[in-house]
Amino acid sequence: MKTFVLLATAAWLISSHPASADARPAAGEPSAPRVLECGAVIDPASGSRLTGIHILVDRGLIQAVGPDIGAPTEAERIDLSDATCLPGLIDLHTHLMIDLKHTITQNFLQSSSADKTLAALANAQTMLRLGFTTLRIPGDLDFHFGTIALRDAIARGEHLGPRMLVAPHLIGPTGGHSDLNELAGDAHQISGSVVAAGADSMREAVRRELKGGADWIKVMATGGVMSQHDDPEVQSLTDDELRALAEEAHRHKIKITAHAHGNAGVVGAAKAGFDSIEHGTMIDASGIEAMLASGTVLVPTAYVIDWIVARGSSGGITEDNLRKALLVQKRRDESLRQAYEAGVPIGFGSDQIFPHEESPREFAALVRVGIAPIDALRAATTVAAELLGLADELGTIAVGKRADIVAVPGDPLEDIRTMEHVFFVMKDGAVVTPPDAPSDRDLDVRAEPPNRG
């Protein structure tokens, strides 16, 4: 069973002692050390908010954290004394290739992989500016491997962007959420990015993803909301197929996640050993029990359903899509609240079929469901880092970890919407957004989603 144990306050390592001298600088990291003078620092692991904390950063790593760290005299000082500092944010469910002017099928068919990859770079940079220094891509709308190329180019330092862990494609059944069901039934030569049937075919699909460089595997275990002619309540793959997918992924030492709205898909994926479930909007007691037994993380993506419903038919949402969105929305809050109260680990994911600038609204959406503000922050830090296998590097502001740090005005434990106003971003010790840079801090990001019909 996978466990997500929140570290004790002592393990936060608030210390004036430097990290190991053997640490290597990140690509592009300046040689001069920096001191962030934070008005407060939130430790998501313990839930503490400590004031008057300084953070020494050098060679891409956090070297010391505390009120008196004995920083070298040559260190550059960055004044964040009127702000709250937090670990760099992690979005576990980011799509970078969606063009809002088109339907899902049009997104697949009307742009080349190269066009979509260029658009994805711009969207990835937007996410970094918002404070998301790490992204997991759970499949995107590309027949090829554009997200892998983008991941690698950013990692090589050729482009500014967040680090990325990628499931290149969406593996699903014929007629399922990842297939192109808007097309005529006799357009059989065109299907979704990865459509498979039977356990052996599923194993082969995993191997093809691995051949292309996958970090994760993404599977469609139920129908979806923004697709046609499938049912979000129906388990769309057999138990044998789900087991084959999970076994093959884990045999190759990578993790696997499942899109699942209805409880049947949640139960099937959790029992098969999936590492996370996306959405889970209609989960009930049996799904919760299965997730707890397997240690599966739930990534609710709460905001996106509200965005779809608010946009409505006048904003270009089809009648079938809107009907399914209303069904899901009606049951979502109680389902997610029950899962949270039962102890299912909650991870942060946006699921952008909306403008990427609205991604931080997911924090407030989680809190509206009934998730405590500190747990909404944990969803995007400690829980997310643990799920990604990066807890030793990310998720807390601690000595020896990567210097991924963001700052917001005010206290997000008192007003979670403060997370919509990140104004300072550091990744691997390099300042992405300095505190005095022009920003969208005064933009009314609380407004209702616009009608983009």
Side-chain angles (χ1 to χ4, degrees):
M1 180 187 299
K2 298 175 286 296
T3 58
F4 290 78
V5 181
L6 295 178
L7 304 177
T9 305
W12 190 29
L13 301 176
I14 295 180
S15 168
S16 60
H17 300 294
S20 168
D22 293 331
R24 295 291 184 265
E29 164 61 16
S31 58
R34 288 180 166 129
V35 175
L36 308 185
E37 300 175 338
C38 300
V41 170
I42 289 179
D43 173 32
S46 66
S48 303
R49 182 179 184 271
L50 302 182
T51 58
I53 299 297
H54 291 184
I55 306 168
L56 174 62
V57 172
D58 192 15
R59 294 176 297 164
L61 300 178
I62 296 170
Q63 303 289 341
V65 184
D68 183 11
I69 57 175
T73 56
E74 71 273 17
E76 176 191 357
R77 294 184 176 269
I78 298 177
D79 183 7
L80 299 170
S81 57
D82 63 347
T84 297
C85 295
L86 302 99
L89 306 176
I90 302 171
D91 192 325
L92 295 168
H93 194 123
T94 301
H95 298 299
L96 298 175
M97 291 184 164
I98 293 179
D99 185 336
L100 297 174
K101 297 187 296 292
H102 301 312
T103 67
I104 298 299
T105 296
Q106 289 170 335
N107 269 279
F108 266 113
L109 300 179
Q110 294 189 201
S111 296
S112 70
S113 181
D115 286 335
K116 284 184 278 196
T117 304
L118 288 170
L121 173 59
N123 289 329
Q125 292 173 341
T126 293
M127 293 297 289
L128 180 60
R129 178 175 58 81
L130 295 170
F132 294 96
T133 58
T134 304
L135 305 177
R136 184 187 64 170
I137 312 300
D140 223 319
L141 305 186
D142 188 12
F143 289 111
H144 302 289
F145 288 87
T147 47
I148 295 292
L150 178 59
R151 176 200 68 188
D152 293 348
I154 290 172
R156 290 191 299 264
E158 295 170 6
H159 299 285
L160 177 68
R163 70 183 58 79
M164 292 167 53
L165 292 91
V166 177
H169 301 115
L170 313 164
I171 300 176
T174 301
H177 184 47
S178 57
D179 208 350
L180 305 182
N181 299 331
E182 288 180 67
L183 298 176
D186 55 2
H188 56 83
Q189 70 273 22
I190 302 176
S191 60
S193 56
V194 179
V195 174
D200 288 344
S201 180
M202 296 297 168
R203 292 183 190 277
E204 181 65 11
V206 170
R207 293 169 189 154
R208 290 187 180 278
E209 294 293 276
L210 292 168
K211 178 181 178 180
D215 301 301
W216 273 74
I217 300 298
K218 168 68 177 296
V219 175
M220 299 310 200
T222 71
V225 171
M226 292 302 289
S227 49
Q228 304 297 318
H229 315 309
D230 56 11
D231 190 335
E233 295 187 274
V234 171
Q235 180 177 320
S236 56
L237 295 166
T238 68
D239 289 343
D240 285 345
E241 289 172 329
L242 291 171
R243 277 194 299 271
L245 287 158
E247 288 172 1
E248 195 66 18
H250 291 155
R251 190 166 67 85
H252 290 279
K253 300 179 182 179
I254 68 170
K255 293 185 176 182
I256 185 167
T257 191
H259 159 104
H261 282 289
N263 190 66
V266 172
V267 171
K271 287 186 174 180
F274 277 56
D275 299 281
S276 63
I277 299 288
E278 314 300 304
H279 317 305
T281 48
M282 294 182 280
I283 192 173
D284 66 21
S286 60
I288 291 169
E289 181 181 4
M291 292 188 73
L292 289 172
S294 63
T296 307
V297 175
L298 177 61
V299 183
T301 66
Y303 173 70
V304 64
I305 296 298
D306 294 335
W307 184 88
I308 293 169
V309 171
R311 193 176 186 192
S313 58
S314 62
I317 306 299
T318 70
E319 182 179 347
D320 183 49
N321 292 152
L322 184 57
R323 176 187 59 79
K324 291 193 285 186
L326 290 168
L327 168 69
V328 166
Q329 186 187 51
K330 180 179 180 180
R331 297 174 56 181
R332 176 201 59 196
D333 290 5
E334 183 61 25
S335 293
L336 298 185
R337 187 160 45 247
Q338 288 178 358
Y340 168 67
E341 291 174 352
V344 173
I346 303 296
F348 183 102
S350 300
D351 193 12
Q352 295 92 349
I353 64 167
F354 49 80
H356 286 76
E357 290 81 358
E358 297 179 23
S359 301
R361 294 183 180 182
E362 179 68 16
F363 286 104
L366 293 174
V367 171
R368 280 196 300 273
V369 168
I371 294 172
I374 186 59
D375 287 323
L377 296 177
R378 286 170 175 152
T381 53
T382 52
V383 174
E386 182 77 23
L387 177 62
L388 296 180
L390 297 175
D392 290 341
E393 302 178 54
L394 304 171
T396 58
I397 296 175
V399 171
K401 291 197 174 184
R402 290 178 179 268
D404 281 21
I405 300 165
V406 303
V408 297
D411 180 2
L413 297 179
E414 295 295 326
D415 180 6
I416 195 63
R417 305 216 61 161
T418 297
M419 296 306 298
E420 298 170 13
H421 298 278
V422 169
F423 71 94
F424 171 83
V425 180
M426 171 179 280
K427 180 198 170 197
D428 282 328
V431 175
V432 175
T433 304
D436 56 352
S439 71
D440 298 332
R441 290 179 66 181
D442 298 324
L443 183 67
D444 184 11
V445 296
R446 303 187 187 203
E448 288 302 311
N451 183 322
R452 300 176 185 272

